[in-house]
Amino acid sequence: MSAEHTLGAYRRALADGADGLECDVRLTRDGHLVCVHDRRLDRTSTGHGVVSTKRLAELDALDWGSWKHPWSDLDDELEETDPDDRRLVTLRQLLELVREWDRPVELAIETKHPTRYSGLVEHYLVDLLHRFGWTRLARDGTGRLPVRVMSFSRMSVRRVQKLAPKVPVVTLVDERIPLAMRGGELPRGVRIVGPSIDLVRSHPDWVAAVRRRGSAVHVWTVNSPADVELCADLGVDAIITDRPRAARDQLHAR
């Protein structure tokens, strides 16, 4: 299995039939959006410190995959691994992968907060999406964009809504349903909610309430067959999983 947020991992997911990809983005010291989950470098790279204090060149020089393999201290074994399994991915590279893949692919981008750069994250993100032509629909108003932006930060969601009104946004929810959303309502202008699988297990009736109001439910991270089955039974609109091939096979078997 490839290390998270590497180009090799994303390519394998698409080869396994994933309909879309998910990434977390953080802003570097010199203004590049990189696909990194953790605030600190220590868990998933050979570096130390905070991502936002580093320049892209510093991050690109690190090994982002050897931690995943117990044989990472053996040079001959490492030489056999795909270089794409060990390199950092910028958001621009990931957008290019999605655009150039040989079938339609969607991308869900999570903005990580709090961060020292605050609203700059959304400004840089929307600017990059605009460069790819992914902030506006076709002139005839048909079709949909291949990208959506999601966050646990309500302020981040609002910024994206203001900067790019046509880009779908997702409010992420972890362990507790916010009081204002307990009847199935979502924040103004938001039509997609992203609950954790733990929340879905605990509150399946809430999922039904959200869907009755015409909103979509995208659940993360759905890895076990039992959880895939639960989501299918509830009629959720999307599942985010680390095992796309197994999930697709199970859903097709239904």
Side-chain angles (χ1 to χ4, degrees), residues 61-97:
L62 301 175
D63 186 325
W64 293 83
S66 60
W67 65 275
K68 191 74 175 179
H69 308 290
W71 57 82
S72 61
D73 57 337
L74 303 179
D75 291 340
D76 57 337
E77 295 281 2
L78 278 177
E79 288 176 0
E80 297 178 4
T81 63
D82 186 340
D84 285 343
D85 288 344
R86 302 171 61 191
R87 293 195 62 185
L88 174 75
V89 180
T90 66
L91 181 60
R92 179 183 291 276
Q93 290 173 315
L94 193 55
L95 293 177
E96 290 171 348
L97 176 66

Side-chain angles (χ1 to χ4, degrees), residues 208-253:
V210 172
R211 299 194 75 249
R212 280 197 301 270
R213 289 180 172 270
S215 297
V217 180
H218 295 185
V219 187
W220 55 275
T221 300
V222 186
N223 286 335
S224 75
D227 286 337
V228 172
E229 198 71 17
L230 172 63
C231 289
D233 288 342
L234 292 173
V236 306
D237 303 271
I239 62 174
I240 298 173
T241 177
D242 297 324
R243 301 177 174 87
R245 178 176 292 178
R248 284 185 65 89
D249 289 347
Q250 182 177 346
L251 292 172
H252 286 163

Side-chain angles (χ1 to χ4, degrees), residues 142-161:
T142 62
R144 67 178 187 180
L145 296 172
V147 66
R148 59 184 180 270
V149 179
M150 52 191 188
S151 186
F152 287 101
S153 166
R154 180 64 186 127
M155 185 58 70
S156 174
V157 170
R158 287 173 178 165
R159 290 190 193 109
V160 174
Q161 288 178 305

Side-chain angles (χ1 to χ4, degrees), residues 38-228:
D38 295 4
R39 174 178 172 270
R40 297 187 61 85
L41 297 165
D42 305 63
R43 180 179 69 88
T44 57
S45 80
T46 51
H48 302 283
V50 178
V51 174
S52 61
T53 65
K54 308 294 184 181
R55 297 182 183 277
L56 179 60
E58 297 176 87
L59 297 174
D60 195 45
L62 301 175
D63 186 325
W64 293 83
S66 60
W67 65 275
K68 191 74 175 179
H69 308 290
W71 57 82
S72 61
D73 57 337
L74 303 179
D75 291 340
D76 57 337
E77 295 281 2
L78 278 177
E79 288 176 0
E80 297 178 4
T81 63
D82 186 340
D84 285 343
D85 288 344
R86 302 171 61 191
R87 293 195 62 185
L88 174 75
V89 180
T90 66
L91 181 60
R92 179 183 291 276
Q93 290 173 315
L94 193 55
L95 293 177
E96 290 171 348
L97 176 66
V98 168
R99 182 180 62 187
E100 295 167 7
W101 201 252
D102 60 5
R103 58 181 171 83
V105 176
E106 296 190 3
L107 179 62
I109 303 170
E110 180 184 346
T111 60
K112 305 299 287 188
H113 286 277
T115 173
R116 70 184 63 231
Y117 300 122
S118 189
L120 278 179
V121 173
E122 287 74 34
H123 280 275
Y124 276 84
L125 171 57
V126 170
D127 179 68
L128 185 56
L129 294 179
H130 180 73
R131 292 171 185 267
F132 276 72
W134 290 352
T135 57
R136 56 193 180 277
L137 300 176
R139 291 189 177 183
D140 61 3
T142 62
R144 67 178 187 180
L145 296 172
V147 66
R148 59 184 180 270
V149 179
M150 52 191 188
S151 186
F152 287 101
S153 166
R154 180 64 186 127
M155 185 58 70
S156 174
V157 170
R158 287 173 178 165
R159 290 190 193 109
V160 174
Q161 288 178 305
K162 181 177 180 180
L163 294 168
K166 299 298 184 182
V167 174
V169 290
V170 184
T171 292
L172 295 176
V173 186
D174 195 352
E175 297 178 355
R176 297 181 180 179
I177 303 169
L179 183 60
M181 296 168 55
R182 289 184 180 175
E185 308 91 341
L186 300 186
R188 179 178 299 178
V190 177
R191 300 302 304 272
I192 311 171
V193 66
S196 68
I197 185 60
D198 291 336
L199 189 62
V200 170
R201 290 194 210 104
S202 301
H203 300 281
D205 291 343
W206 176 73
V207 173
V210 172
R211 299 194 75 249
R212 280 197 301 270
R213 289 180 172 270
S215 297
V217 180
H218 295 185
V219 187
W220 55 275
T221 300
V222 186
N223 286 335
S224 75
D227 286 337
V228 172

